[in-house]
């Protein structure tokens, strides 16, 4: 909370780190771990309920368990939904034993999330092609954006957004590589419907705006691309705290890319800095405390100074 105050962050959404998804574990072990993590997270949030919000974790390798645990997270623990991975590695640890989010076995989880009206946040993990990207931190620089694009494309082409049209789902890192490849994706759907339009009858671009992405794109031009595609009302402040690729000190402060943008109005910035998160997570800003006013002012002034220096 001291670091939140120093950065002008009013409310932080907490979740486990992706490596703890443990989808490779036996279903009963995955359920036990999820329950342990979610109980701990719920307690942490309850101790600071006016500054923290929680998203649980689910044993996605066992969808029946995942449905029950999502229900417990929302109805019993007071969490606002769950964070899930960009794909599911099934028990056994075999790199080839993987299913995408379009897999029919996972549909009950999305249907339950829609029924509950809760949020799902998709974060890349266990990145594809990792063995070929051993150097230069490439799994995090190249693999993660590809994973997010694969997750979005899987839900679109798999017809999941048509089956659960009220599903509230968000994707990390501005949707990864998806905004930069949507034209190629759209063209592929049009030119090879025999391959691409099997389960997706609408133009893939038509689904943009049906889901959320976060703002962690590191550049104001990229943020404009994201809002042009999805809408400023579908972008939520993302920080990746406490990891170095996030908007975290010493190189950045949370919200820098939004504060620094010359492409967005004050009203759009307000939505991205908090209003959209409240909508996505079914929150009211009145239920939370704010960081000390001087913190927010200091952060905004620092952002302006960095922009001027650039």
């Amino acid at each position: 909370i001291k670091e939140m105050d120093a950065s002008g962050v009013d409310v932080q959404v907490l979740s486990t780190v992706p490596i703890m998804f443990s989808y490779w574990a036996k279903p009963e072990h995955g359920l036990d771990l999820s329950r342990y993590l979610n109980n701990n997270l719920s307690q942490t949030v309850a101790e600071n309920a006016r500054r923290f919000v929680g998203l649980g974790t689910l044993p996605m390798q066992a969808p029946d368990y995942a449905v029950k645990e999502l229900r417990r997270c929302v109805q019993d623990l007071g969490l606002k939904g769950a964070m899930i991975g960009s794909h599911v590695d099934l028990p056994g640890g075999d790199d080839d034993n993987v299913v995408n989010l379009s897999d029919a076995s996972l549909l009950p989880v999305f249907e339950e999330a829609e029924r509950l009206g809760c949020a799902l946040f998709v974060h890349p993990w266990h990145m594809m092609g990792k063995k070929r990207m051993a150097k230069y931190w490439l799994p995090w620089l190249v693999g993660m954006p590809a994973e997010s694009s694969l997750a979005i494309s899987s839900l679109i082409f798999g017809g999941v957004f048509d089956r659960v049209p009220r599903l509230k789902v968000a994707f990390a890192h501005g949707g990864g590589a998806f905004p930069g490849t949507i034209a190629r994706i759209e063209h592929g759907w049009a030119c090879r419907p025999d391959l691409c339009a099997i389960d997706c009858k609408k133009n893939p671009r038509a689904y943009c705006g049906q889901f959320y992405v976060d703002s962690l794109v590191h550049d104001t031009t990229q943020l404009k691309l994201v809002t042009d595609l999805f809408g400023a009302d579908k972008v939520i402040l993302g920080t990746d705290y406490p990891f170095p690729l996030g908007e975290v000190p010493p190189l950045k402060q949370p919200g820098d890319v939004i504060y620094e943008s010359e492409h967005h109005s004050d009203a759009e910035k307000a939505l991205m800095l908090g209003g959209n998160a409240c909508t996505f997570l079914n929150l009211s800003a009145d239920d939370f405390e704010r960081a000390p006013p001087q913190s927010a002012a200091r952060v905004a002034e620092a952002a302006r100074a960095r922009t001027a220096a650039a």
Side-chain angles (χ1 to χ4, degrees), residues 232-307:
D233 62 333
K234 296 297 182 182
V235 178
I236 299 169
L237 172 63
T239 66
D240 244 7
Y241 173 89
F243 298 106
L245 268 175
E247 279 193 328
V248 294
L251 296 181
K252 291 285 186 177
Q253 288 283 1
D256 268 2
V257 73
I258 298 174
Y259 283 120
E260 294 171 2
S261 176
E262 298 179 352
H263 308 294
H264 300 94
S265 68
D266 289 345
E268 290 173 325
K269 291 180 180 182
L271 285 175
M272 291 187 281
L273 289 167
N276 294 335
C278 287
T279 301
F280 178 62
L281 296 166
N282 298 318
L283 303 174
S284 170
D286 295 335
D287 293 335
F288 298 94
E289 294 179 6
R290 296 189 177 278
Q294 65 272 20
S295 298
R298 187 166 61 249
V299 171
E301 179 59 34
R304 287 192 291 270
R306 282 190 290 275
T307 301

Side-chain angles (χ1 to χ4, degrees), residues 136-309:
Y136 314 121
W137 215 22
L138 291 181
W140 280 261
L141 303 183
V142 176
M144 274 195 167
E147 280 287 339
S148 293
S149 183
L150 175 60
I152 295 172
S153 298
S154 295
L155 291 177
I156 289 175
F157 284 116
V160 177
F161 288 126
D162 292 320
R163 292 181 174 90
V164 281
R166 296 183 302 280
L167 177 68
K168 299 177 73 172
V169 59
F171 299 87
H173 313 150
F178 184 84
T181 54
I182 179 59
R184 183 179 181 88
I185 291 168
E186 180 182 36
H187 183 71
W189 177 86
C191 74
R192 289 303 305 265
D194 56 316
L195 298 177
C196 301
I198 302 168
D199 300 310
C200 170
K201 304 306 180 185
K202 292 192 300 186
N203 186 318
R205 193 181 291 269
Y207 297 93
C208 298
Q210 192 169 331
F211 52 87
Y212 292 80
V213 298
D214 75 18
S215 65
L216 191 62
V217 295
H218 308 285
D219 177 84
T220 59
T221 302
Q222 184 70 13
L223 182 64
K224 182 179 185 299
L225 173 66
V226 168
T227 56
D228 285 348
L229 180 61
F230 300 117
D233 62 333
K234 296 297 182 182
V235 178
I236 299 169
L237 172 63
T239 66
D240 244 7
Y241 173 89
F243 298 106
L245 268 175
E247 279 193 328
V248 294
L251 296 181
K252 291 285 186 177
Q253 288 283 1
D256 268 2
V257 73
I258 298 174
Y259 283 120
E260 294 171 2
S261 176
E262 298 179 352
H263 308 294
H264 300 94
S265 68
D266 289 345
E268 290 173 325
K269 291 180 180 182
L271 285 175
M272 291 187 281
L273 289 167
N276 294 335
C278 287
T279 301
F280 178 62
L281 296 166
N282 298 318
L283 303 174
S284 170
D286 295 335
D287 293 335
F288 298 94
E289 294 179 6
R290 296 189 177 278
Q294 65 272 20
S295 298
R298 187 166 61 249
V299 171
E301 179 59 34
R304 287 192 291 270
R306 282 190 290 275
T307 301

Side-chain angles (χ1 to χ4, degrees), residues 20-22 25 28-38 57:
M20 297 298 289
F21 288 151
S22 302
E28 59 272 25
H29 296 166
L31 176 61
D32 286 345
L33 178 60
S34 294
R35 289 178 64 89
Y36 176 83
L37 293 170
N38 293 334
T57 191

